[in-house]
Amino acid sequence: MAGCGREDLSTMNPQGPVAEEQFGLMKLSISIMVLVVIVVFALAFYVMVRYRRRPGDKTIPVQVEGNHKLEIIWTVIPIVLLLILGVPTVKSVFGLAKDYTKDPNAVQVIVTAKQYWWEFEYPQYGIKTSQELMIPTGKTVSVQVKSADVIHSFWIPALAGKIDANPGANVNTMYFSADQDGVYLGKCAELCGPSHALMDFKVKSVNQGAFDRWVTAMKEPGKLPADPEIAAVFEKQCLTCHAVGDKGMQLFPNLTGMGDKGTVAGILVNTDDPKYSNEGSTYDNLKRWIEDPQAVKPGNSMPKVDLTPEQIDGIAKYLSEYKLDVEQ
Amino acid sequence: MAHAHPVKRYTGLMDWLTTVDHKKIGILYLIAGGFFFLIGGFEALLIRIQLWKPLNNFVSADTYNELLTMHGTTMIFLAAMPIIFALMNAIVPLQIGARDVAFPFVNALGFWTFLFGGLLLNVSWIAGAVPDAGWTSYLPLADPTYSPGKGVDFYVLGLQIAGIGTLVGGINFLVTIINMRAPGMSFMRMPMFTWSAFITSALILFAFPALTVGLVALMFDRLFSANFFNVSGGGNTVLWEHIFWIFGHPEVYILILPAFGIISEVISTFSRKRLFGYSSMVFATVLIGFLGFMVWAHHMFTVGLGPVANALFSIATMLIAVPTGIKIFNWIFTMWGGSIRFTAANLFAVGFVPTFVMGGVTGVMLAAAPADFQYHDSYFVVAHFHYVIVGGLVLGLFSGLHYWWPKIFGRMLSEGLGKLTFWTFYIGFHLTFFVQHFLGLLGMPRRVYTYLDGLGFNSMNLISTIGAFLMGIGTIIFIINIIVTAAKPKTASNDPWEDGRTLEWSIPSPAPEYNFLQTPLVRGYDALWKEKMDGNTGMSPAEPIGPIHMPSGSILPFIMSFGLFVAGFGFMYANNEWTGFVKEIFASHAVAGLGLGITLTCMIIRSLKDDHGFHIEPEELTKKEVKE
């Protein structure tokens, strides 16, 4: 399936039942439409070649007014084709609108979109995380999506189509699940300001055991930097907006377990083998982000904090080593 | 009652500023629309340069959002609509055997309000505060909290003023087509282009007021702190989406129906054959126009309207494929058995058919709501609507311009350059947009100023950018063609394509200011063709030669629109950060008041001053005829 794009991103490589169902409808409609296109193209090219005007041709063709039989044919056939497409469409519209928000067996997540990051709250467990939505593989995840500022749209192409994050009371619900463990790329799909293009997130699907360990670890008291000087700076400069465990404020992305995350700020990919300009080690990415957040993500709310290079080093090192180690 | 009035007949620049002649207004629309088309195209090229490689730094994120907003807004409102109006003005009165539109003064007013509205919108580039919330200007992104500058104000007021022009233009054409048809030109004998202009005008009449209301509400939110769309004040942002698309979807058909009309005329003429299934074409056009109002929420499948709304709007949207399919097959069967001549105009027309089918089938795919959850706001949608608007409308406009150029200017465009325009533009178009379907399916959202490396988007974006430049080259060749042609003498005959079927080909090219020396008597569909087949050299007249009543020119439409331009500026900058006297006159709404005052004064003058126009006497008419 290499032609169908990345397994963690492409709509044509569905990794869960919802995306699978949507892909099925896409395949059905594409098949019907390819048929239509082939018929029309064939007719059009045949006509253009067959009835081209030869040089010096002065004849007047027969002036045909119309043909009822033909006209009925090309009215009825499209209606039949539309029925073939319309019936499964309606069925799927209602199927995908199923409400799992009251289902105790589903993982409930309240998604709040903000310029330009995502907050994920688990009301069943009383925890909040950001940028990486942790889900247990195979289990239905029921999301309620809203926005804290402008309209965003919550989209995980490989797992499920999108739903808008509206401000105010227009909260939307959707469900999905992942068939296999893995990390799936999520995107904001509604223009929301300068950094709309960079408002990426991840969905990390892990086995039930790891998920439970993660929930437990998220509830543990936050660990502060070992170096008391860095810890003081961190508390004063970072925890006024961010949180680790039970410490700090939950206004902006929760930093608990930063060392486990796949990206910094959603787009600086953490890897030990950087290939592209948006890749680096977790430590390097954190440093790059803290040094100049506006250069990474224009228009976001994080200011250039008043820190010395040593303090940035210390904080980046501490955060990159802050791991929950839930995947054993 | 042919007594002469002492009437000033202007020449030179004043002639163009005061003209109420539909043919000259058509040319003005063409020049202004063409100018904005070049601006919008330039913005598109900047967008494609930014996206040619991942993480490019050609323009900043802010500038990119300004470019995408202005590209969309300019192309829809200031390029596509005016060029459609250019052709409607230039051709519709000729096709129905009329001497002008019903309200020539209002026609001029429509043009000037459009132009000043468009200029106001584009002045934003100079003012350094450019709209950047998308051509849809969704709230809250476009509200004063998230778009604090003047950018979105330019969008609101520019479109509001330009919208007046479109609305009065639409009303004018409705009245013209209903009331001013020549004797014998019944509705079911009207040429297809006139029919499409008629339905488009009806759509304008019902759709544009929705935009006007929405823009007024948005203007109140932005300028006077109202709360229509302010969530914390009890407003609702989904309301704006509904209002915008109740206008926005019919707008798509306002754009495409005239193209359908052009294609019908061109294919029929160059196949030397009557349009196949004329009455079903008319019926399909009416039906598309009607259904066009029933499907707006398919732009909002992901907004969360619930399964009932999504299911209904899915099915309603799919239904539009049926009348559209009828049209496609009718065009193909018009060519069937014909004698097809591939002029540049006809290349654009036959190129339109398969291209539009591709845009149409992706439209049906988008109509399936659950699948749309994946397509929506991805590059798949970008590909779809460019296939419909560029592959449909713009190819149609190119076709119409090549076809009617001799009737408008009296000169034939170069066929060689025209064909070169077609091939570069056509190939460039498919290169640009075909791959974008796949970019969307692979997970690339639209309206992104950049994309990360390693996602598999790189090569297709590069292809797309190359294609865009090819389209740019095609456009430049077209401009060269215009310049080369303008230097040639006016030698086009009445019927330069020799197979003309409709009334406009029965009169000189370009048409004299009174169009028809004698109003023609229409004896059937394809009026001129019928006379030709009956062995007549031209139309039989329905009246003797007599004095022709003409409306006199007026500078008032120009000044009236200028007043609105000043008022728009005044309201926008009533809240400003300047100091001293300039701040005061804006803050006290003196500038806004002055602008409105100019407009109102012109309206009073127009209402109180009688202007009966003038007559062209038979002696002058026959003298001209002899000279030509």
Side-chain angles (χ1 to χ4, degrees), chain A residues 3 60 80 159 249 260 286:
Chain A
I60 303 292
V80 172
L159 295 181
M249 306 289 285
D260 292 326
L286 278 162

PDB file of all heavy atoms in Angstrom, chain A residues 3 60 80 159 249 260 286:
ATOM      1  N   GLY A   3       1.625   3.241  -2.312  1.00  0.00           N
ATOM      2  CA  GLY A   3       1.052   4.321  -3.101  1.00  0.00           C
ATOM      3  C   GLY A   3      -0.041   5.062  -2.376  1.00  0.00           C
ATOM      4  O   GLY A   3      -0.508   6.089  -2.833  1.00  0.00           O
ATOM      5  N   ILE A  60     -24.146  21.008 -44.465  1.00  0.00           N
ATOM      6  CA  ILE A  60     -24.876  21.369 -43.250  1.00  0.00           C
ATOM      7  C   ILE A  60     -25.359  20.081 -42.603  1.00  0.00           C
ATOM      8  O   ILE A  60     -26.122  19.331 -43.205  1.00  0.00           O
ATOM      9  CB  ILE A  60     -26.096  22.250 -43.600  1.00  0.00           C
ATOM     10  CG1 ILE A  60     -25.669  23.491 -44.368  1.00  0.00           C
ATOM     11  CG2 ILE A  60     -26.857  22.615 -42.324  1.00  0.00           C
ATOM     12  CD1 ILE A  60     -24.877  24.482 -43.573  1.00  0.00           C
ATOM     13  N   VAL A  80     -30.063   6.027 -10.872  1.00  0.00           N
ATOM     14  CA  VAL A  80     -29.767   4.696 -10.328  1.00  0.00           C
ATOM     15  C   VAL A  80     -28.402   4.693  -9.639  1.00  0.00           C
ATOM     16  O   VAL A  80     -28.250   4.194  -8.522  1.00  0.00           O
ATOM     17  CB  VAL A  80     -29.813   3.639 -11.450  1.00  0.00           C
ATOM     18  CG1 VAL A  80     -29.326   2.295 -10.941  1.00  0.00           C
ATOM     19  CG2 VAL A  80     -31.222   3.533 -12.014  1.00  0.00           C
ATOM     20  N   LEU A 159      -7.395   7.447  11.271  1.00  0.00           N
ATOM     21  CA  LEU A 159      -8.335   6.825  12.206  1.00  0.00           C
ATOM     22  C   LEU A 159      -9.776   7.268  12.004  1.00  0.00           C
ATOM     23  O   LEU A 159     -10.704   6.467  12.154  1.00  0.00           O
ATOM     24  CB  LEU A 159      -7.930   7.123  13.659  1.00  0.00           C
ATOM     25  CG  LEU A 159      -6.607   6.533  14.129  1.00  0.00           C
ATOM     26  CD1 LEU A 159      -6.377   6.887  15.584  1.00  0.00           C
ATOM     27  CD2 LEU A 159      -6.590   5.018  13.957  1.00  0.00           C
ATOM     28  N   MET A 249       0.041  25.189  36.930  1.00  0.00           N
ATOM     29  CA  MET A 249      -1.264  25.561  36.401  1.00  0.00           C
ATOM     30  C   MET A 249      -1.545  24.804  35.103  1.00  0.00           C
ATOM     31  O   MET A 249      -0.648  24.549  34.322  1.00  0.00           O
ATOM     32  CB  MET A 249      -1.307  27.068  36.110  1.00  0.00           C
ATOM     33  CG  MET A 249      -0.915  27.941  37.278  1.00  0.00           C
ATOM     34  SD  MET A 249      -2.174  27.937  38.564  1.00  0.00           S
ATOM     35  CE  MET A 249      -3.412  28.972  37.806  1.00  0.00           C
ATOM     36  N   ASP A 260       8.682  11.434  27.045  1.00  0.00           N
ATOM     37  CA  ASP A 260       8.097  10.332  26.270  1.00  0.00           C
ATOM     38  C   ASP A 260       7.501  10.792  24.954  1.00  0.00           C
ATOM     39  O   ASP A 260       7.163   9.972  24.103  1.00  0.00           O
ATOM     40  CB  ASP A 260       6.938   9.696  27.064  1.00  0.00           C
ATOM     41  CG  ASP A 260       7.429   8.980  28.296  1.00  0.00           C
ATOM     42  OD1 ASP A 260       8.541   8.421  28.227  1.00  0.00           O
ATOM     43  OD2 ASP A 260       6.712   8.983  29.305  1.00  0.00           O
ATOM     44  N   LEU A 286      13.476  20.873  22.580  1.00  0.00           N
ATOM     45  CA  LEU A 286      12.988  21.674  23.701  1.00  0.00           C
ATOM     46  C   LEU A 286      13.753  22.990  23.788  1.00  0.00           C
ATOM     47  O   LEU A 286      13.176  24.058  23.987  1.00  0.00           O
ATOM     48  CB  LEU A 286      13.130  20.893  25.006  1.00  0.00           C
ATOM     49  CG  LEU A 286      12.000  19.893  25.271  1.00  0.00           C
ATOM     50  CD1 LEU A 286      12.430  18.875  26.314  1.00  0.00           C
ATOM     51  CD2 LEU A 286      10.736  20.616  25.718  1.00  0.00           C
TER      52      LEU A 286
END
